[in-house]
Amino acid sequence: MRSSIPKKVVFSIILVLFLSSIALAQPITFLVNPDYDPFSYLGEGHLKGFLVDLIGSLESETGIDVEMKPVKFDEALEMLQGEGSYCIPSLVFTTQRKALYQWAGPVAITNTYLYTTEELSGEFKSLEDARNANSVGVVSEYYSHKLLEGQGFDNLIVFEDEGSLLEALLEGEIELAPFNSAVLQELLKGEQASYSPVSTVAIDLDMTYLGFSKEVPTEIVDAFQKALDGLKTSGSFSELYSEWFPEQPVPGIYTFLTEEYPPVTFRGEDGEPTGFVTEMVKEILRRNDMSAEILIVPWSVGYELASNLPNVFLFSMDQTEQRKENFEWIGPVGKNTAYLYGRKDTPATDLESAKRVDAIGTTTNWWTEQLLKEMGFENLVSSLDPLDTVAQLVEGETDLAVFTDLTVAELADEAGYSIDDLEALVELQTNYFYIAASKGTNLGLILNFQKTLEEMKRDGSFEETIREFVPNMLVTSLLWNSSQLDVKGLRTSMNTLSVGEIATMELQENGSTGYVWDVKITNPNVVSLIYEGSIFEAKFLDDSELVGAPYNVQWVFEAKQPGVTVVIFSLRRPWESVHPIQTFAINMKVE
């Protein structure tokens, strides 16, 4: 029987009970940037903006007293590193900052693009194109300034602030300028321009979090995270975010990232992400009654975020020995082979002679680059954009380059060349690729996604999706392979688990007889049921063969908090008020 208590009420009750054990010596001081419109700003002597409204909602949800204080960002960052219970509600996550603070979020996700005029929009498809522009404007000492300098831009013109940078772009004084998409939208409100700049190349993705100082108790940080997730689940967060950023993707509990990597993942003609793996992810979300924005970012940006933050899905990712233990894996969803490519006039070569050429083009953090490093190559030229890697090879800036057979043709075309300009010279390695989930992501959700993918392989929609984009791909090995989470099998004796560990139990039933297993957990605070599903002994049976066939049912449990509980399995007909024909119990202890 389903509970009639609304989810939000249940969540609030749990949160109040959770916080009752926390002794608060003083309120949390939120250091709010007064010059970060529309996130936060001073209006009529009061702090206003999206973050101010959000903090108010979180204070109400948690019951924790907060104080909001207008502080310039540089000063706030110094305070966050010192003594005191502080939070910056607009702290962009970076790997350099990861260990310095505590994090709850994300509260905003915004892309930083290089923008140009409509007349020039077709000229800048890659970072290499942007580096060849006559002029690129930046704001002095901004993160985007440092980022472009580090990527070899020597055509930068420095401005004092974003207002003057935008004015120069609108007046045609510069060809390109980097802007955070949400900030640009606000800046344009004050301009009397006849057009809006056009986004070209994405250079960064800002994941904005509540950044807490180390002195804030972890229970408080967890409480804000739970409250934020509760607002997202109820839809309240989406309503608030859309009021302030009506055309921006709304951050969810989970973040889905992909790259420009046709035909696997890419931006379609309508501007929306597509490709055969992207469409699989969309279908997996649909079948799990979930909706989420899929963001296209440079691979190096997505890889860094997925390597450091929980609840990030990045696709598609080749599974290599170097990566295997760093992510959870859903798939496989495809298969490809890496080759060293040369120009048509490149003489035949082998691995040893390839190590002696002057330069081999690679793409930053792609598995192909990691593979060459593992094989001892030291002559690599790494680019953030694969289109740059293509251009460098064709134009003779590198002697060889590494690509996969699945994507090289479309990358060459996208870069303005032809696959006929290239030749595969040395086969390196064949890999399966997957939908990767970052460590710390809910294991029950990952398991559900894997089960959904297996359903798609059985019902034919998996192969149909691939054929739409790659008609001649060999899919048999993909249909029969399945990623498996590391789970512990339960025994009828005492089972000991660690918090966060998952365990599974399988039992046979036959629904045609009416007898099915009923499962009850005596203490659901200690262990929770995160998945239940049927497993047929033979894969890809016809529907006629399934009727009346016995099958196994799998239950997956997650250890939530220390304690003891009992899981009781009863085989019964649900409509009969009689004792079950079989019952047994499993004792579980979580440490």
Side-chain angles (χ1 to χ4, degrees):
M1 180 182 296
R2 294 183 180 273
S3 171
S4 60
I5 302 176
K7 288 183 179 179
K8 188 172 181 180
V9 173
V10 173
F11 170 77
S12 299
I13 293 172
I14 294 172
L15 197 56
V16 169
L17 293 174
F18 171 73
L19 291 171
S20 64
S21 61
I22 302 173
L24 297 178
Q26 60 184 43
I28 306 299
T29 301
F30 279 75
L31 309 174
V32 182
N33 189 341
D35 300 313
Y36 197 37
D37 193 1
F39 289 94
S40 54
Y41 61 95
L42 280 175
E44 301 175 350
H46 299 284
L47 283 169
K48 297 181 179 181
F50 161 70
L51 291 172
V52 177
D53 290 348
L54 177 62
I55 294 167
S57 296
L58 293 173
E59 181 181 25
S60 176
E61 289 289 324
T62 61
I64 299 173
D65 291 334
V66 304
E67 175 188 358
M68 283 186 269
K69 181 179 179 180
V71 181
K72 294 283 189 180
F73 181 79
D74 289 346
E75 181 184 347
L77 205 58
E78 289 184 13
M79 295 173 68
L80 202 66
Q81 296 171 7
E83 297 180 356
S85 298
Y86 296 116
C87 175
I88 294 179
S90 57
L91 196 60
V92 174
F93 177 88
T94 67
T95 54
Q96 293 79 12
R97 292 173 174 170
K98 180 180 179 180
L100 299 177
Y101 315 109
Q102 301 180 81
W103 305 84
V107 296
I109 299 178
T110 49
N111 269 304
T112 296
Y113 294 98
L114 286 173
Y115 285 84
T116 188
T117 60
E118 189 171 352
E119 309 89 79
L120 297 176
S121 59
E123 296 187 17
F124 304 109
K125 295 182 179 180
S126 68
L127 283 173
E128 184 67 21
D129 293 337
R131 275 190 286 267
N132 292 327
N134 291 323
S135 55
V136 179
V138 293
V139 176
S140 177
E141 298 305 310
Y142 267 35
Y143 178 70
S144 53
H145 181 189
K146 299 298 183 183
L147 182 66
L148 293 178
E149 275 189 337
Q151 293 175 4
F153 280 71
D154 58 7
N155 52 354
L156 301 180
I157 298 177
V158 180
F159 292 82
E160 292 185 359
D161 54 58
E162 289 185 305
S164 56
L165 176 64
L166 176 59
E167 184 178 348
L169 182 64
L170 295 174
E171 295 293 330
E173 297 173 14
I174 54 176
E175 291 185 340
L176 290 165
F179 288 102
N180 176 293
S181 55
V183 173
L184 176 63
Q185 188 178 45
E186 194 65 26
L187 287 170
L188 286 170
K189 292 180 181 179
E191 295 287 338
Q192 301 298 320
S194 58
Y195 73 93
S196 296
V198 178
S199 61
T200 60
V201 184
I203 61 172
D204 197 24
L205 182 73
D206 292 336
M207 298 276 284
T208 302
Y209 281 73
L210 306 176
F212 292 87
S213 60
K214 286 290 190 177
E215 288 199 8
V216 176
T218 56
E219 296 89 347
I220 298 297
V221 179
D222 292 342
F224 275 99
Q225 183 67 68
K226 286 182 170 66
L228 180 61
D229 290 347
L231 292 175
K232 290 179 178 180
T233 301
S234 69
S236 300
F237 179 87
S238 179
E239 292 177 9
L240 176 62
Y241 199 86
S242 298
E243 287 178 14
W244 287 97
F245 308 109
E247 298 180 8
Q248 296 295 321
V250 180
I253 296 174
Y254 303 99
T255 302
F256 292 81
L257 304 178
T258 188
E259 64 169 333
E260 193 71 29
Y261 192 53
V264 183
T265 59
F266 61 97
R267 194 182 305 278
E269 294 182 359
D270 59 357
E272 294 299 315
T274 188
F276 70 82
V277 176
T278 304
E279 296 305 319
M280 288 177 193
V281 172
K282 291 178 182 178
E283 180 64 11
I284 289 171
L285 290 169
R286 187 190 69 79
R287 294 192 186 194
N288 283 276
D289 296 321
M290 294 176 63
S291 60
E293 298 280 354
I294 296 174
L295 304 174
I296 295 179
V297 297
W299 177 258
S300 59
V301 172
Y303 190 82
E304 181 178 9
L305 293 172
S307 298
N308 289 282
L309 289 171
N311 300 328
V312 176
F313 290 86
L314 177 62
F315 57 93
S316 60
M317 186 188 291
D318 284 74
Q319 188 182 84
T320 65
E321 287 302 316
Q322 180 181 352
R323 294 172 171 175
K324 191 171 183 179
E325 301 303 319
N326 297 331
F327 302 92
E328 306 293 350
W329 303 89
I330 301 163
V333 292
K335 186 178 181 181
N336 56 19
T337 302
Y339 290 87
L340 285 176
Y341 284 82
R343 295 176 295 278
K344 283 296 184 182
D345 58 354
T346 303
T349 188
D350 55 28
L351 277 177
E352 290 307 312
S353 58
K355 290 180 179 180
R356 295 191 294 270
V357 303
D358 290 335
I360 298 177
T362 67
T363 305
T364 306
N365 282 334
W366 275 15
W367 74 273
T368 48
E369 179 182 78
Q370 294 171 345
L371 175 64
L372 290 179
K373 288 180 178 179
E374 291 171 4
M375 298 173 72
F377 282 79
E378 298 179 351
N379 52 350
L380 306 181
V381 176
S382 184
S383 299
L384 293 174
D385 192 329
L387 303 186
D388 292 347
T389 309
V390 175
Q392 290 165 356
L393 175 61
V394 177
E395 299 299 328
E397 297 175 24
T398 58
D399 303 287
L400 302 169
V402 61
F403 301 104
T404 68
D405 57 340
L406 185 59
T407 60
V408 63
E410 296 205 36
L411 288 174
D413 181 68
E414 185 72 16
Y417 303 99
S418 168
I419 187 60
D420 293 335
D421 298 324
L422 307 177
E423 185 172 356
L425 299 175
V426 182
E427 181 177 339
L428 297 174
Q429 184 171 297
T430 297
N431 275 344
Y432 288 105
F433 53 86
Y434 296 74
I435 301 162
S438 60
K439 290 293 186 179
T441 302
N442 182 277
L443 295 176
L445 182 66
I446 293 169
L447 188 61
N448 282 345
F449 280 10
Q450 180 64 47
K451 297 297 183 183
T452 303
L453 181 65
E454 290 168 6
E455 290 172 5
M456 293 166 60
K457 290 183 178 182
R458 286 195 295 268
D459 66 27
S461 57
F462 175 88
E463 182 173 357
E464 183 179 338
T465 302
I466 290 179
R467 297 283 180 234
E468 181 182 348
F469 293 88
V470 190
N472 299 317
M473 181 186 286
L474 298 175
V475 300
T476 303
S477 62
L478 299 175
L479 295 175
W480 288 97
N481 273 282
S482 175
S483 181
Q484 299 293 331
L485 278 174
D486 183 18
V487 298
K488 178 181 289 187
L490 292 174
R491 301 167 297 179
T492 54
S493 57
M494 175 63 76
N495 297 268
T496 302
L497 303 175
S498 301
V499 173
E501 194 170 10
I502 59 176
T504 183
M505 170 61 75
E506 284 188 23
L507 296 172
Q508 190 176 86
E509 71 177 35
N510 191 328
S512 63
T513 67
Y515 286 99
V516 295
W517 287 102
D518 176 60
V519 178
K520 285 185 170 56
I521 304 172
T522 60
N523 191 347
N525 292 324
V526 173
V527 169
S528 65
L529 178 64
I530 61 175
Y531 178 81
E532 177 181 350
S534 302
I535 305 172
F536 291 89
E537 293 299 324
K539 295 185 178 181
F540 314 117
L541 294 175
D542 293 334
D543 289 344
S544 60
E545 297 178 271
L546 295 178
V547 178
Y551 51 87
N552 284 355
V553 179
Q554 182 185 54
W555 296 268
V556 180
F557 303 90
E558 182 178 7
K560 304 297 289 186
Q561 65 183 43
V564 294
T565 188
V566 180
V567 182
I568 302 170
F569 293 85
S570 304
L571 188 62
R572 65 169 73 235
R573 285 174 170 158
W575 63 87
E576 293 182 345
S577 300
V578 297
H579 290 295
I581 62 173
Q582 187 177 351
T583 301
F584 67 92
I586 292 180
N587 298 302
M588 300 178 71
K589 179 181 180 181
V590 177
E591 298 179 336

Short mmCIF file of all heavy atoms in Angstrom, two decimals, residues 545-589:
data_model
loop_
_atom_site.label_atom_id
_atom_site.label_comp_id
_atom_site.label_asym_id
_atom_site.label_seq_id
_atom_site.Cartn_x
_atom_site.Cartn_y
_atom_site.Cartn_z
N GLU A 545 7.86 -18.20 -25.64
CA GLU A 545 8.67 -19.08 -24.81
C GLU A 545 8.69 -18.64 -23.35
O GLU A 545 9.03 -19.41 -22.46
CB GLU A 545 10.10 -19.14 -25.34
CG GLU A 545 10.21 -19.73 -26.74
CD GLU A 545 11.65 -19.70 -27.22
OE1 GLU A 545 12.05 -18.69 -27.82
OE2 GLU A 545 12.38 -20.68 -26.97
N LEU A 546 8.33 -17.36 -23.12
CA LEU A 546 8.38 -16.84 -21.76
C LEU A 546 7.15 -17.22 -20.95
O LEU A 546 7.20 -17.26 -19.73
CB LEU A 546 8.49 -15.31 -21.80
CG LEU A 546 9.78 -14.75 -22.41
CD1 LEU A 546 9.73 -13.24 -22.43
CD2 LEU A 546 11.00 -15.23 -21.63
N VAL A 547 6.02 -17.50 -21.63
CA VAL A 547 4.78 -17.78 -20.93
C VAL A 547 4.92 -19.06 -20.12
O VAL A 547 5.26 -20.12 -20.64
CB VAL A 547 3.61 -17.91 -21.93
CG1 VAL A 547 2.32 -18.27 -21.18
CG2 VAL A 547 3.43 -16.61 -22.70
N GLY A 548 4.67 -18.97 -18.82
CA GLY A 548 4.72 -20.13 -17.94
C GLY A 548 6.11 -20.57 -17.54
O GLY A 548 6.26 -21.53 -16.78
N ALA A 549 7.16 -19.88 -18.03
CA ALA A 549 8.53 -20.30 -17.73
C ALA A 549 8.94 -19.78 -16.36
O ALA A 549 8.63 -18.64 -16.00
CB ALA A 549 9.49 -19.76 -18.79
N PRO A 550 9.62 -20.60 -15.56
CA PRO A 550 10.14 -20.10 -14.29
C PRO A 550 11.27 -19.11 -14.54
O PRO A 550 11.92 -19.14 -15.59
CB PRO A 550 10.65 -21.36 -13.60
CG PRO A 550 10.97 -22.29 -14.71
CD PRO A 550 9.97 -22.00 -15.80
N TYR A 551 11.51 -18.26 -13.59
CA TYR A 551 12.54 -17.25 -13.75
C TYR A 551 13.07 -16.88 -12.37
O TYR A 551 12.46 -17.18 -11.34
CB TYR A 551 11.98 -16.00 -14.45
CG TYR A 551 10.71 -15.47 -13.82
CD1 TYR A 551 10.75 -14.57 -12.76
CD2 TYR A 551 9.47 -15.91 -14.27
CE1 TYR A 551 9.60 -14.11 -12.17
CE2 TYR A 551 8.29 -15.45 -13.69
CZ TYR A 551 8.36 -14.55 -12.63
OH TYR A 551 7.21 -14.09 -12.04
N ASN A 552 14.21 -16.25 -12.35
CA ASN A 552 14.79 -15.76 -11.10
C ASN A 552 14.40 -14.31 -10.88
O ASN A 552 14.27 -13.54 -11.84
CB ASN A 552 16.31 -15.88 -11.11
CG ASN A 552 16.78 -17.30 -10.91
OD1 ASN A 552 15.97 -18.20 -10.67
ND2 ASN A 552 18.07 -17.52 -11.00
N VAL A 553 14.21 -13.96 -9.64
CA VAL A 553 13.99 -12.57 -9.26
C VAL A 553 15.20 -12.11 -8.46
O VAL A 553 15.68 -12.84 -7.58
CB VAL A 553 12.70 -12.39 -8.43
CG1 VAL A 553 12.53 -10.92 -8.04
CG2 VAL A 553 11.50 -12.88 -9.21
N GLN A 554 15.69 -10.93 -8.79
CA GLN A 554 16.85 -10.38 -8.10
C GLN A 554 16.44 -9.16 -7.28
O GLN A 554 15.70 -8.30 -7.75
CB GLN A 554 17.93 -9.96 -9.11
CG GLN A 554 19.19 -9.41 -8.46
CD GLN A 554 20.18 -8.88 -9.48
OE1 GLN A 554 19.83 -8.05 -10.30
NE2 GLN A 554 21.41 -9.37 -9.44
N TRP A 555 16.90 -9.14 -6.03
CA TRP A 555 16.73 -7.97 -5.17
C TRP A 555 18.11 -7.44 -4.84
O TRP A 555 19.04 -8.20 -4.52
CB TRP A 555 16.01 -8.35 -3.87
CG TRP A 555 14.61 -8.83 -4.05
CD1 TRP A 555 13.46 -8.09 -4.03
CD2 TRP A 555 14.20 -10.18 -4.29
NE1 TRP A 555 12.36 -8.89 -4.23
CE2 TRP A 555 12.78 -10.18 -4.39
CE3 TRP A 555 14.88 -11.39 -4.41
CZ2 TRP A 555 12.05 -11.34 -4.61
CZ3 TRP A 555 14.16 -12.54 -4.64
CH2 TRP A 555 12.76 -12.51 -4.74
N VAL A 556 18.26 -6.12 -4.88
CA VAL A 556 19.53 -5.49 -4.56
C VAL A 556 19.31 -4.52 -3.40
O VAL A 556 18.40 -3.68 -3.45
CB VAL A 556 20.13 -4.75 -5.77
CG1 VAL A 556 21.47 -4.10 -5.41
CG2 VAL A 556 20.31 -5.70 -6.95
N PHE A 557 20.12 -4.67 -2.37
CA PHE A 557 20.00 -3.86 -1.17
C PHE A 557 21.24 -3.00 -0.99
O PHE A 557 22.35 -3.40 -1.35
CB PHE A 557 19.85 -4.77 0.06
CG PHE A 557 18.69 -5.72 -0.02
CD1 PHE A 557 18.85 -6.99 -0.58
CD2 PHE A 557 17.44 -5.35 0.44
CE1 PHE A 557 17.79 -7.87 -0.65
CE2 PHE A 557 16.37 -6.23 0.37
CZ PHE A 557 16.54 -7.50 -0.18
N GLU A 558 21.04 -1.81 -0.42
CA GLU A 558 22.16 -0.92 -0.13
C GLU A 558 22.24 -0.66 1.37
O GLU A 558 21.22 -0.36 2.01
CB GLU A 558 22.00 0.41 -0.86
CG GLU A 558 23.18 1.36 -0.62
CD GLU A 558 23.06 2.67 -1.38
OE1 GLU A 558 22.01 2.91 -2.00
OE2 GLU A 558 24.03 3.46 -1.34
N ALA A 559 23.44 -0.79 1.94
CA ALA A 559 23.66 -0.50 3.35
C ALA A 559 23.67 1.01 3.56
O ALA A 559 24.50 1.72 2.98
CB ALA A 559 24.99 -1.11 3.81
N LYS A 560 22.75 1.51 4.38
CA LYS A 560 22.56 2.95 4.53
C LYS A 560 23.27 3.53 5.75
O LYS A 560 23.89 4.58 5.67
CB LYS A 560 21.07 3.28 4.62
CG LYS A 560 20.24 2.77 3.44
CD LYS A 560 20.66 3.39 2.13
CE LYS A 560 20.27 4.85 2.04
NZ LYS A 560 20.57 5.41 0.70
N GLN A 561 23.15 2.86 6.92
CA GLN A 561 23.77 3.38 8.13
C GLN A 561 24.00 2.23 9.10
O GLN A 561 23.37 1.17 8.98
CB GLN A 561 22.90 4.47 8.76
CG GLN A 561 21.56 3.98 9.27
CD GLN A 561 20.71 5.11 9.83
OE1 GLN A 561 20.63 6.19 9.26
NE2 GLN A 561 20.07 4.86 10.96
N PRO A 562 24.91 2.41 10.06
CA PRO A 562 25.21 1.32 10.99
C PRO A 562 23.97 0.86 11.76
O PRO A 562 23.11 1.65 12.12
CB PRO A 562 26.25 1.95 11.93
CG PRO A 562 26.88 3.03 11.12
CD PRO A 562 25.78 3.59 10.27
N GLY A 563 23.91 -0.45 11.99
CA GLY A 563 22.79 -1.03 12.72
C GLY A 563 22.56 -2.45 12.28
O GLY A 563 23.33 -3.03 11.50
N VAL A 564 21.48 -3.06 12.79
CA VAL A 564 21.12 -4.42 12.40
C VAL A 564 19.69 -4.43 11.89
O VAL A 564 18.86 -3.62 12.30
CB VAL A 564 21.28 -5.40 13.59
CG1 VAL A 564 22.72 -5.53 13.99
CG2 VAL A 564 20.44 -4.94 14.78
N THR A 565 19.39 -5.36 11.02
CA THR A 565 18.04 -5.50 10.47
C THR A 565 17.86 -6.94 9.99
O THR A 565 18.83 -7.70 9.89
CB THR A 565 17.81 -4.51 9.32
OG1 THR A 565 16.42 -4.56 8.93
CG2 THR A 565 18.67 -4.85 8.11
N VAL A 566 16.63 -7.28 9.69
CA VAL A 566 16.29 -8.59 9.14
C VAL A 566 15.47 -8.39 7.87
O VAL A 566 14.55 -7.57 7.86
CB VAL A 566 15.49 -9.44 10.15
CG1 VAL A 566 15.15 -10.80 9.55
CG2 VAL A 566 16.27 -9.61 11.45
N VAL A 567 15.84 -9.11 6.82
CA VAL A 567 15.07 -9.09 5.58
C VAL A 567 14.29 -10.41 5.50
O VAL A 567 14.89 -11.49 5.53
CB VAL A 567 15.99 -8.93 4.35
CG1 VAL A 567 15.15 -8.87 3.07
CG2 VAL A 567 16.85 -7.68 4.49
N ILE A 568 12.96 -10.32 5.44
CA ILE A 568 12.09 -11.49 5.47
C ILE A 568 11.51 -11.73 4.07
O ILE A 568 10.88 -10.84 3.48
CB ILE A 568 10.94 -11.30 6.48
CG1 ILE A 568 11.52 -11.03 7.88
CG2 ILE A 568 10.03 -12.53 6.50
CD1 ILE A 568 10.48 -10.60 8.89
N PHE A 569 11.74 -12.91 3.51
CA PHE A 569 11.22 -13.31 2.21
C PHE A 569 10.06 -14.29 2.43
O PHE A 569 10.21 -15.29 3.13
CB PHE A 569 12.31 -14.00 1.38
CG PHE A 569 13.43 -13.09 0.97
CD1 PHE A 569 14.50 -12.85 1.82
CD2 PHE A 569 13.41 -12.46 -0.27
CE1 PHE A 569 15.54 -12.01 1.44
CE2 PHE A 569 14.44 -11.62 -0.65
CZ PHE A 569 15.50 -11.39 0.20
N SER A 570 8.92 -14.02 1.80
CA SER A 570 7.73 -14.88 1.93
C SER A 570 7.17 -15.18 0.56
O SER A 570 6.94 -14.26 -0.25
CB SER A 570 6.65 -14.19 2.78
OG SER A 570 7.15 -13.81 4.04
N LEU A 571 6.95 -16.47 0.26
CA LEU A 571 6.39 -16.88 -1.03
C LEU A 571 4.89 -17.09 -0.83
O LEU A 571 4.46 -17.98 -0.11
CB LEU A 571 7.05 -18.17 -1.51
CG LEU A 571 6.71 -18.62 -2.93
CD1 LEU A 571 7.15 -17.58 -3.96
CD2 LEU A 571 7.36 -19.97 -3.23
N ARG A 572 4.10 -16.25 -1.49
CA ARG A 572 2.65 -16.29 -1.28
C ARG A 572 1.92 -15.80 -2.52
O ARG A 572 2.51 -15.19 -3.41
CB ARG A 572 2.27 -15.41 -0.09
CG ARG A 572 2.57 -13.92 -0.35
CD ARG A 572 1.94 -13.01 0.70
NE ARG A 572 2.64 -13.07 1.97
CZ ARG A 572 2.02 -13.36 3.10
NH1 ARG A 572 0.72 -13.61 3.10
NH2 ARG A 572 2.71 -13.38 4.23
N ARG A 573 0.62 -16.08 -2.54
CA ARG A 573 -0.28 -15.45 -3.50
C ARG A 573 -0.80 -14.18 -2.87
O ARG A 573 -1.47 -14.24 -1.82
CB ARG A 573 -1.43 -16.39 -3.86
CG ARG A 573 -1.02 -17.53 -4.79
CD ARG A 573 -2.15 -18.49 -5.01
NE ARG A 573 -1.85 -19.45 -6.07
CZ ARG A 573 -2.44 -20.63 -6.20
NH1 ARG A 573 -3.37 -21.02 -5.31
NH2 ARG A 573 -2.11 -21.43 -7.18
N PRO A 574 -0.55 -13.03 -3.46
CA PRO A 574 -0.85 -11.75 -2.80
C PRO A 574 -2.31 -11.58 -2.42
O PRO A 574 -2.63 -10.89 -1.45
CB PRO A 574 -0.42 -10.71 -3.84
CG PRO A 574 0.58 -11.40 -4.69
CD PRO A 574 0.14 -12.83 -4.73
N TRP A 575 -3.22 -12.22 -3.18
CA TRP A 575 -4.64 -12.02 -2.92
C TRP A 575 -5.21 -12.97 -1.85
O TRP A 575 -6.37 -12.85 -1.46
CB TRP A 575 -5.43 -12.19 -4.22
CG TRP A 575 -5.33 -13.56 -4.81
CD1 TRP A 575 -6.12 -14.64 -4.55
CD2 TRP A 575 -4.38 -14.01 -5.79
NE1 TRP A 575 -5.73 -15.72 -5.27
CE2 TRP A 575 -4.66 -15.37 -6.07
CE3 TRP A 575 -3.32 -13.40 -6.46
CZ2 TRP A 575 -3.93 -16.12 -6.97
CZ3 TRP A 575 -2.60 -14.14 -7.36
CH2 TRP A 575 -2.88 -15.49 -7.62
N GLU A 576 -4.41 -13.91 -1.38
CA GLU A 576 -4.89 -14.88 -0.40
C GLU A 576 -4.46 -14.50 1.01
O GLU A 576 -3.30 -14.17 1.25
CB GLU A 576 -4.35 -16.28 -0.73
CG GLU A 576 -4.90 -16.86 -2.01
CD GLU A 576 -4.38 -18.27 -2.29
OE1 GLU A 576 -3.39 -18.67 -1.63
OE2 GLU A 576 -4.95 -18.94 -3.15
N SER A 577 -5.40 -14.56 1.95
CA SER A 577 -5.12 -14.25 3.36
C SER A 577 -4.77 -15.52 4.11
O SER A 577 -5.45 -15.93 5.07
CB SER A 577 -6.32 -13.55 4.00
OG SER A 577 -6.63 -12.35 3.34
N VAL A 578 -3.71 -16.17 3.66
CA VAL A 578 -3.25 -17.40 4.29
C VAL A 578 -1.74 -17.29 4.51
O VAL A 578 -1.08 -16.40 3.97
CB VAL A 578 -3.56 -18.64 3.42
CG1 VAL A 578 -5.07 -18.82 3.26
CG2 VAL A 578 -2.88 -18.51 2.05
N HIS A 579 -1.23 -18.20 5.30
CA HIS A 579 0.20 -18.19 5.56
C HIS A 579 0.97 -18.49 4.26
O HIS A 579 0.53 -19.28 3.43
CB HIS A 579 0.57 -19.23 6.62
CG HIS A 579 0.08 -18.87 7.98
ND1 HIS A 579 0.53 -17.79 8.68
CD2 HIS A 579 -0.85 -19.48 8.78
CE1 HIS A 579 -0.07 -17.72 9.85
NE2 HIS A 579 -0.93 -18.75 9.94
N PRO A 580 2.13 -17.87 4.08
CA PRO A 580 2.95 -18.17 2.91
C PRO A 580 3.40 -19.62 2.92
O PRO A 580 3.52 -20.24 3.98
CB PRO A 580 4.14 -17.22 3.05
CG PRO A 580 4.19 -16.86 4.49
CD PRO A 580 2.77 -16.88 4.97
N ILE A 581 3.64 -20.17 1.72
CA ILE A 581 4.06 -21.57 1.63
C ILE A 581 5.54 -21.73 1.94
O ILE A 581 6.02 -22.83 2.17
CB ILE A 581 3.74 -22.16 0.24
CG1 ILE A 581 4.51 -21.41 -0.86
CG2 ILE A 581 2.24 -22.13 -0.03
CD1 ILE A 581 4.38 -22.06 -2.22
N GLN A 582 6.28 -20.61 1.93
CA GLN A 582 7.69 -20.68 2.27
C GLN A 582 8.13 -19.33 2.84
O GLN A 582 7.75 -18.27 2.32
CB GLN A 582 8.54 -21.03 1.05
CG GLN A 582 10.02 -21.28 1.36
CD GLN A 582 10.80 -21.70 0.11
OE1 GLN A 582 10.22 -21.97 -0.94
NE2 GLN A 582 12.11 -21.76 0.23
N THR A 583 8.90 -19.34 3.90
CA THR A 583 9.40 -18.12 4.52
C THR A 583 10.81 -18.35 5.04
O THR A 583 11.10 -19.43 5.56
CB THR A 583 8.51 -17.68 5.71
OG1 THR A 583 7.19 -17.45 5.24
CG2 THR A 583 9.04 -16.38 6.33
N PHE A 584 11.67 -17.37 4.86
CA PHE A 584 12.97 -17.42 5.53
C PHE A 584 13.47 -15.99 5.72
O PHE A 584 12.99 -15.05 5.08
CB PHE A 584 13.98 -18.27 4.75
CG PHE A 584 14.40 -17.70 3.43
CD1 PHE A 584 15.51 -16.88 3.33
CD2 PHE A 584 13.70 -18.00 2.27
CE1 PHE A 584 15.91 -16.36 2.12
CE2 PHE A 584 14.08 -17.48 1.05
CZ PHE A 584 15.19 -16.67 0.97
N ALA A 585 14.41 -15.84 6.65
CA ALA A 585 14.91 -14.52 7.01
C ALA A 585 16.42 -14.45 6.84
O ALA A 585 17.13 -15.44 7.03
CB ALA A 585 14.53 -14.18 8.44
N ILE A 586 16.90 -13.26 6.49
CA ILE A 586 18.33 -13.01 6.36
C ILE A 586 18.71 -11.90 7.34
O ILE A 586 18.12 -10.82 7.31
CB ILE A 586 18.69 -12.60 4.92
CG1 ILE A 586 18.49 -13.77 3.97
CG2 ILE A 586 20.12 -12.09 4.84
CD1 ILE A 586 18.80 -13.46 2.54
N ASN A 587 19.65 -12.17 8.20
CA ASN A 587 20.13 -11.18 9.17
C ASN A 587 21.24 -10.35 8.53
O ASN A 587 22.13 -10.88 7.88
CB ASN A 587 20.67 -11.88 10.41
CG ASN A 587 19.59 -12.67 11.13
OD1 ASN A 587 18.58 -12.10 11.52
ND2 ASN A 587 19.81 -13.96 11.30
N MET A 588 21.14 -9.03 8.74
CA MET A 588 22.13 -8.13 8.14
C MET A 588 22.63 -7.14 9.19
O MET A 588 21.83 -6.58 9.96
CB MET A 588 21.52 -7.38 6.95
CG MET A 588 21.05 -8.31 5.84
SD MET A 588 20.29 -7.45 4.46
CE MET A 588 21.71 -6.67 3.75
N LYS A 589 23.93 -6.94 9.22
CA LYS A 589 24.55 -5.99 10.12
C LYS A 589 25.40 -5.02 9.30
O LYS A 589 26.20 -5.43 8.46
CB LYS A 589 25.45 -6.73 11.14
CG LYS A 589 26.18 -5.80 12.11
CD LYS A 589 27.06 -6.60 13.06
CE LYS A 589 27.79 -5.69 14.03
NZ LYS A 589 28.68 -6.46 14.95
#
